[in-house]
Amino acid sequence: MRPAGRDTLDSLYFDYPHFDAPKRPATEAMSPVAIVGAGPVGMIAALTLAKHGVCCVLLDNKATFNDGSRAICVSRSSFHILDSLGVVKPFLEKSLGWTTGRSFYRGQQILEFAMPDGANEKFRPMYNLQQQYIEQFLWDSVAASDLIETRWQSEVVGLAEEDDFVRLQVTDPSGTYDLPARWVVAADGARSAIRRICGLRLKGENYEGRYVIADIRMRHDYPTIRRALFDPASRPGGTVLIHRQPDDIWRIDYQLADDESADEATREENVRAAVARVLRDIDHDGEWELEWWSVYSANTLLLDDYRKGRVFFAGDSGHIVPIFGVRGLNNGIADGHNIGWKLAAVLNREAGPALLGSYTPERRGATLDVFANATKSTRFMTPPSHGWRIMRDAALSLALTRESAGWLANPRQMTPYTYAESPATAPDDPAFAKGPIAGAMFQDVALDDGFLGDLLGRDFTLLVFGDGPAPEQAGLTVTRLPAKGAVAEIYGAEDGSAYLVRPDLHVAARWRRASEDGVRRALNAVLARQEEVA
């Protein structure tokens, strides 16, 4: 929503582009992959496919980007994905990195936490950036790719699965047509049309807590630190979150009381009054402008399976997670990257079709892990019952005099999920005493002239320590590292050790003492192939 007198896309700081409807070819050729939804998740999937040389068609029913700041917190793991796709530079230039969070109860600080950071990390734990910029920067790379055809103002209204492809029915301003594709990625959001057409429903838990989110522009010198206000004077009994964003834009999320109507709460005069009260809580008495606002509730919902035949669900089309711990966008980015490299491997005949069976256990497993952590935060931020509220308020009161109690307000920020039980992960080598286990995301390490992540190849990478084996194999980059030093120490490696890293930056296998035969067998098993594919 925008203030009276301003158009839906009339922003104080961002110029929304307009995308014309496509000029369709006379005959539709079979597309290897059709991606429905040109938001961050869909564009990540498209860029991942393009990185591996696979063409796709990207469809979206809008004529521009999503409005409002929406998802604003981008994690370190997502920045590694952006880096691997070669698109991270504008994100680093525009976003605001942060490491610290502070929580307050009735105006008194009860917690300050710092997320893990250090010289071995190429990226900060978290960055704040409005979703419009996230989409703009991804779009710049999508538009520059000859392998991605984007069709705006194109709505999928039907879907029929044939023996070895999917036939999408698409409507645009010039009419309706059929688009055949070998595979489909549904990245069309929480109100997914593909999910509805497939007859699927999200299942899980709806929470009572509702929040208004408001973007305002103001000059305010508070650093880029996540602030959580419990029971502040502005919202007695409620919770307020405050984040700094680029361009002097500040994001304020404030909880609605049980007896507040969402329709009434989102009237402009009521939003202005509520924001003004929050600003008094943080001692800001300067000028400010209202940019945009919306309302949301906290839910934990997901599909039973992220795949239906030749259709894969990514991002909010497959799962809805609470914002607490900033896991929604970051979980979706990992979805798009995961299914992108796997579809590319199958289409390029580098992997067997069974590789695609690992998508649901990996990414649905990641969602369940998010639920386990985010649910704890959600129950603390928005107690689901009177009993929960009594316990939460007691903990907050105790935190005023006992520092340890304040840690109950820790939001448990997003961390990458470990695919230890995945069919696309080899059993871990128990001989290691430290280092990322099989299934975990790789650990970056600072080198003399860069970072370890800079040495990872396009496909699979074998990190070989000392004189370990270096098999020559298509799709495998071999990177030799010293058997002593910072990397070997962090990875628990010795002369002859090796780590096999997947295209999505997760460890596929590791060996304390590697052999060429062991590497080949593990690679074939991870890629679900009986023998190497030329």
Side-chain angles (χ1 to χ4, degrees), residues 165-442:
F165 71 96
V166 176
R167 189 182 303 280
L168 296 176
Q169 190 176 43
V170 183
T171 295
D172 66 18
S174 62
T176 299
Y177 64 97
D178 286 348
L179 172 65
R182 296 292 182 195
W183 304 95
V184 173
V185 175
D188 52 342
R191 296 181 177 86
S192 170
I194 302 298
R195 187 178 65 230
R196 174 181 51 77
I197 292 169
C198 289
L200 303 176
R201 293 182 58 217
L202 298 175
K203 300 177 183 178
E205 188 172 358
N206 294 293
Y207 288 87
E208 293 299 321
R210 299 163 300 150
Y211 282 76
V212 169
I213 57 176
D215 287 344
I216 66 171
R217 184 166 68 178
M218 67 175 178
R219 297 221 178 245
H220 188 53
D221 59 3
Y222 203 82
T224 308
I225 289 175
R226 174 198 182 272
R227 277 183 286 182
L229 314 181
F230 294 97
D231 197 14
S234 59
R235 308 295 298 178
T239 306
V240 176
L241 299 174
I242 304 172
H243 275 281
R244 183 177 191 168
Q245 304 177 82
D247 301 324
D248 288 326
I249 301 296
W250 292 77
R251 166 75 164 268
I252 298 174
D253 300 37
Y254 57 89
Q255 186 180 3
L256 298 181
D258 293 342
D259 59 355
E260 283 186 276
S261 160
D263 290 338
E264 278 296 306
T266 52
R267 289 174 55 186
E268 182 178 341
E269 62 269 28
N270 292 332
V271 172
R272 289 185 178 276
V275 169
R277 290 194 294 270
V278 171
L279 295 182
R280 285 196 292 271
D281 272 340
I282 61 173
D283 298 322
H284 179 78
D285 56 5
E287 295 181 352
W288 60 277
E289 298 175 87
L290 183 59
E291 155 72 1
W292 172 88
W293 69 93
S294 185
V295 66
Y296 70 85
S297 58
N299 301 307
T300 52
L301 304 168
L302 79 169
L303 291 173
D304 290 332
D305 195 328
Y306 287 5
R307 176 182 183 180
K308 187 176 190 299
R310 289 182 167 266
V311 180
F312 296 88
F313 295 87
D316 287 353
S317 71
H319 50 76
I320 306 293
V321 306
I323 67 157
F324 312 116
V326 295
R327 297 170 173 90
L329 171 66
N330 296 297
N331 208 35
I333 286 174
D335 289 350
H337 198 219
N338 187 294
I339 192 57
W341 81 262
K342 291 175 179 176
L343 282 172
V346 171
L347 287 163
N348 288 333
R349 298 177 57 81
E350 296 166 351
L355 172 64
L356 301 176
S358 66
Y359 176 67
T360 287
E362 289 187 355
R363 297 311 307 155
R364 192 174 188 273
T367 305
L368 293 172
D369 183 65
V370 164
F371 286 0
N373 287 285
T375 297
K376 298 173 185 176
S377 299
T378 302
R379 286 173 175 166
F380 199 88
M381 301 294 289
T382 61
S385 67
H386 180 65
W388 272 103
R389 180 171 293 279
I390 289 175
M391 290 190 292
R392 194 279 304 269
D393 291 348
L396 290 171
S397 296
L398 186 61
L400 293 172
T401 56
R402 185 172 299 180
E403 182 179 349
S404 59
W407 287 100
L408 293 170
N410 189 332
R412 303 174 180 86
Q413 303 292 349
M414 183 267 179
T415 55
Y417 182 62
T418 297
Y419 304 141
E421 304 300 323
S422 168
T425 299
D428 196 40
D429 185 342
F432 281 91
K434 60 169 64 173
I437 68 171
M441 194 171 190
F442 92 108

